Amino acid sequence: MTGRRRVAITGIGLVTPVGNDAASTWRAVCAGTSGAAPIASFDASGFPTRIAAEVKGFDPAVITAPNKLVKYANRSHRFALAAAEEAMRDAAIAPTPGDSERWGCAVGTGMMGVAFGDLAALQRHSAPAGELDAHALLDDDTAADPVAFCRSQSTAGVALLTRRFGIRGYATSVHTACASGGQALGTALKLIRRGAVDRVLAGGFDSMVNPVGLAGFCLLSAVSSDNDTPERASRPFDATRNGFVLGEGAGFLVLEEWSSARARGAHVYAELAGDGNSLSSYRITDSPPDGDGPIQSMRAALADAGAHPEDIDYINAHGTSTGMNDRSESAAIRAVFGGDANRISVSSTKSTMGHLIAAAGAVEIAICALAIERATMPVNANYHVPDPDCDLNLVVGDARRQPVRMTLSNSFGFGGSNSCVALRHPDHVDAP
Amino acid sequence: MLAAIVAGRSAIGAIGGWDTRDWPVTIAAEITDFNARELVDDRKLHKFIRRTDFFGIYAGDRAAAEAGFDAHRVSLDSAAAAAFADRSGCYVGSGGGAFENQYDYLPLLAEAHGELPAFGAKLAETVNPMWLLRTLPNNVLCHVGIRNRLKGSNACITNHSVGGSLAVIEAAEALAQGEADRALAIGHETPIEPQNVLYYDRCGLLAADALRPFDQARSGSVFGEGAGALALETPASLASRGGVARGEVLGGGHVCEAKGLLAIRDDGDGTARAIELALADAGLDRADVAMIVAHGNGTPQSDASEARAILRVFGTTCPPVTAFKWAIGHLIAAAGIVEATIALAALRAKVVPGIATLTELDPACAGLPVSRETRTVAGDVALVLCRGFAGTDAALVVRALGP
């Protein structure tokens, strides 16, 4: 480990279904306040699932970027801009013309580019009977709108962020479904370690709470249809769990090379200490019941951080509240931690925030950083009926107040990519 | 492919995917002899993947097979085979979303007359239940992983045209940092869709007749489609199984110009910085570069700024510069990796292929050593440049090894 560059988390910004900034989100995940409710942003009355965890009362005026930039931002990009601004403000640093080449940007980007309104308009004009008439596209306003085109691009988010903050180093978008946010943070960690850049604005953003996004998950029967009790629908690890609750939002972190962060007197939440990344290579949606895949990502994160099972105090689980994920993840935690799993506190904050898909990993890594800083572990809400296949030390009832030396944050995606990111308390870095 | 390019043959022709009468753009480099069964033998998989995934999976499978990954793994006992899989990674540059992905919903929208309650109620009977899985940007990563038992570090990079180059850079870094012993790097994309063609044309990015890199008469790019893949392995792992390297990734650099969604700088700032980072990463001097494969997408601003960047770094001692998109089109996320593989083949054949559509060098590119004619190459190192939306620039340095 000697000589390897370390990475400090010095800024956090969140826009989530339980709060439009980091402070309010943190209060909610500790109090167990659910962000799930009947869908308000469109008429979901005909869908099998009519609930989601939507961002509420989001005021685009919090974005200080110029309007000529913001007009290229769709809903999830606006969450990203707001969360990134909060993170940069929090870190009290920004790229200057002198160091902008030494700043990077790594983001987990959602898969939904095309806005539902644009698709509906295109259908009315160019596919009135349901089949696309390519010739009709020639005078279709939607197909002639460069702004609709720009917003739809997978690079739109990273383009808006780098432009907004003047970031001129390594800039990248990644997408491994629900592991995207975790993989973006892992990428950022490696960029600083290998010296490609000294600071990174890293995070994830997504919004699939729209008719097409919700439809995709309904068709797979992946989302809970507990429409009458939305606040209890997401219950990770509970024996009665029946699917996840679709969320939306963004999480961003400012990462800095450790010694330069310390030298400027920055507030350091935690060390971004290790990244473990694996591919289950099993099936496209299913996790292996024995935890194969997630086991390797957790072990790799521990090894990368120079840590051992006994060093970990808290795991922010992927914990989607689907039958399969929670069973597989529990098996993986048991396999990696053995007897230590009885001691290590585990919670899935998806129990309150819902599943933020490509943003989930980034938001949950931010929650881990706050857990370390505040010596408090957020709750796994809605847990009532134990599942023998999910035999974990869950944070049930109240948030647990105790010093947190190290945490892991798990994110596993459709397609089999697994991300595990380790964080460490700053005192355990600086102490000899 | 190299032979065709050296012979001056281009794959660009009339678009066959739809009737382009009255269209502002009617040309692309399409893959016309598409045979799904030949590309992906597992027919059950076909309903889970899109056209772009067929190409990506095929390229990934071929690279893994040529490298002999699978043949070696099956020769091991079960514990060693499991360890081999855990130390095998996969890095993919993917086009991400596409417009046709959403068209599965057009019949439902028509049937529901745009009314959302009816849209929701008729959903299950109208839309393919696998829709979401078919449209995942990381499908190639998933299925190449399953098919080739790759279980190690991985990424799916959705960063427009630099995606394929970044897949190579990140795979090489994973090996250098000890995260994996071998990895596939793949880039794939199929951008030739009606709606996409109209958007690119509206943004002034497409040519109506031909792609002419650095030519005075150039008027834009032309879409191509397909995939490329490279199997990378650490020297130790390769030696332990008696394999032979055909090339080497020496270094890479990647930066952003921070100009916004499509805009780029006229001075070539990003390209110049990416080249300098890549050379430093490779530990090479400018004089070590024997050939430069430019991005050369044929748009007026990109080519002029790229020429400026190359000349800024290499000055009057610039090695021969060429470009391949005039022949194969712009493969977007696949461009960088496909062009890197052609560069390796050219180095082995000791040729710098000419640019057959180059008639008169644009004065804005004056001094750039490009040619219509095939030239010989005096060395084994190529610099491959790539530029994408969001003002991103990637540079890759590769060396050809062996005959």
Side-chain angles (χ1 to χ4, degrees), chain B residues 248-311:
Chain B
E248 194 178 352
V249 178
L250 298 174
H254 177 59
V255 305
C256 166
E257 289 187 342
K259 290 287 284 179
L261 290 111
L262 310 181
I264 55 171
R265 284 170 56 147
D266 283 324
D267 63 0
D269 160 74
T271 299
R273 287 190 291 121
I275 295 171
E276 276 160 0
L277 287 174
L279 291 175
D281 188 41
L284 292 183
D285 187 70
R286 284 170 302 190
D288 297 319
V289 177
M291 170 172 77
I292 298 174
V293 176
H295 182 60
N297 70 9
T299 65
Q301 193 194 8
S302 179
D303 285 4
S305 56
E306 186 178 23
R308 233 163 260 139
I310 292 169
L311 293 171

Side-chain angles (χ1 to χ4, degrees), chain A residues 5 20 75 113 172 213 218 249 286 357 374 379 407:
Chain A
R5 281 157 62 103
N20 294 346
R75 185 171 170 84
T172 193
C218 283
D286 299 7
I357 314 293
R374 316 235 163 134
V379 298
T407 73

Side-chain angles (χ1 to χ4, degrees), chain B:
Chain B
M1 185 147 64
L2 177 67
I5 295 173
V6 168
R9 284 204 305 276
S10 164
I12 293 170
I15 291 174
W18 69 95
D19 181 359
T20 56
R21 232 176 335 157
D22 303 328
W23 276 61
V25 171
T26 62
I27 55 167
E30 287 179 314
I31 293 173
T32 50
D33 52 353
F34 178 86
N35 180 324
R37 284 296 299 278
E38 275 175 30
L39 292 176
V40 177
D41 54 4
D42 176 4
R43 229 195 300 190
K44 286 202 300 290
L45 189 52
H46 290 195
K47 66 175 196 278
F48 291 96
I49 57 177
R50 301 169 294 155
R51 182 176 172 92
T52 184
D53 302 326
F54 277 95
F55 299 142
I57 291 169
Y58 176 74
D61 283 354
R62 282 288 301 271
E66 273 198 34
F69 287 174
D70 215 38
H72 182 70
R73 189 178 49 79
V74 299
S75 75
L76 302 170
D77 66 48
S78 66
F84 188 87
D86 284 342
R87 298 287 298 166
S88 301
C90 190
Y91 290 77
V92 181
S94 162
F99 298 100
E100 284 181 352
N101 283 349
Q102 321 288 324
Y103 295 170
D104 287 0
Y105 284 92
L106 295 179
L108 175 59
L109 278 165
E111 206 179 318
H113 303 288
E115 298 295 326
L116 282 174
F119 180 98
K122 292 169 190 283
L123 174 65
E125 64 204 61
T126 315
V127 182
N128 177 352
M130 295 301 143
W131 174 79
L132 187 78
L133 302 181
R134 283 188 72 245
T135 60
L136 286 176
N138 52 319
N139 265 341
V140 168
L141 172 60
C142 170
H143 294 297
V144 170
I146 291 172
R147 291 163 65 83
N148 295 281
R149 303 303 296 153
L150 311 173
K151 295 180 66 186
S153 63
N154 62 90
C156 174
I157 300 158
T158 51
N159 218 26
H160 196 244
S161 297
V162 294
S165 292
L166 290 186
V168 178
I169 289 173
E170 292 308 315
E173 284 291 343
L175 304 196
Q177 306 294 334
E179 293 167 43
D181 295 327
R182 68 203 65 76
L184 291 182
I186 305 171
H188 66 98
E189 183 135 18
T190 49
I192 312 167
E193 295 184 6
Q195 199 179 345
N196 208 34
V197 165
L198 285 179
Y199 282 137
Y200 272 72
D201 181 59
R202 179 57 66 120
C203 296
L205 298 173
L206 294 182
D209 57 347
L211 195 161
R212 300 184 177 84
F214 307 110
D215 191 276
Q216 192 165 17
R218 71 188 181 281
S219 59
S221 206
V222 175
F223 280 142
E225 62 177 348
L230 292 169
L232 307 182
E233 192 162 8
T234 62
S237 169
L238 189 64
S240 73
R241 61 186 189 91
V244 178
R246 297 165 62 186
E248 194 178 352
V249 178
L250 298 174
H254 177 59
V255 305
C256 166
E257 289 187 342
K259 290 287 284 179
L261 290 111
L262 310 181
I264 55 171
R265 284 170 56 147
D266 283 324
D267 63 0
D269 160 74
T271 299
R273 287 190 291 121
I275 295 171
E276 276 160 0
L277 287 174
L279 291 175
D281 188 41
L284 292 183
D285 187 70
R286 284 170 302 190
D288 297 319
V289 177
M291 170 172 77
I292 298 174
V293 176
H295 182 60
N297 70 9
T299 65
Q301 193 194 8
S302 179
D303 285 4
S305 56
E306 186 178 23
R308 233 163 260 139
I310 292 169
L311 293 171
R312 188 174 115 197
V313 177
F314 289 91
T316 52
T317 56
C318 187
V321 176
T322 189
F324 300 138
K325 290 185 179 69
W326 64 270
I328 62 171
H330 193 334
L331 276 63
I332 314 292
I337 191 164
V338 167
E339 291 169 22
T341 62
I342 301 171
L344 286 167
L347 288 170
R348 271 194 298 275
K350 304 199 187 310
V351 296
V352 182
I355 299 172
T357 57
L358 180 65
T359 309
E360 188 158 0
L361 184 66
D362 184 349
C365 308
L368 192 72
V370 284
S371 172
R372 264 184 86 84
E373 312 303 328
T374 306
R375 289 167 286 175
T376 54
V377 63
D380 55 7
V381 173
L383 173 68
V384 182
L385 305 179
C386 216
R387 319 182 76 185
F389 285 175
T392 50
D393 286 273
L396 200 56
V397 185
V398 294
R399 168 181 280 148
L401 297 171

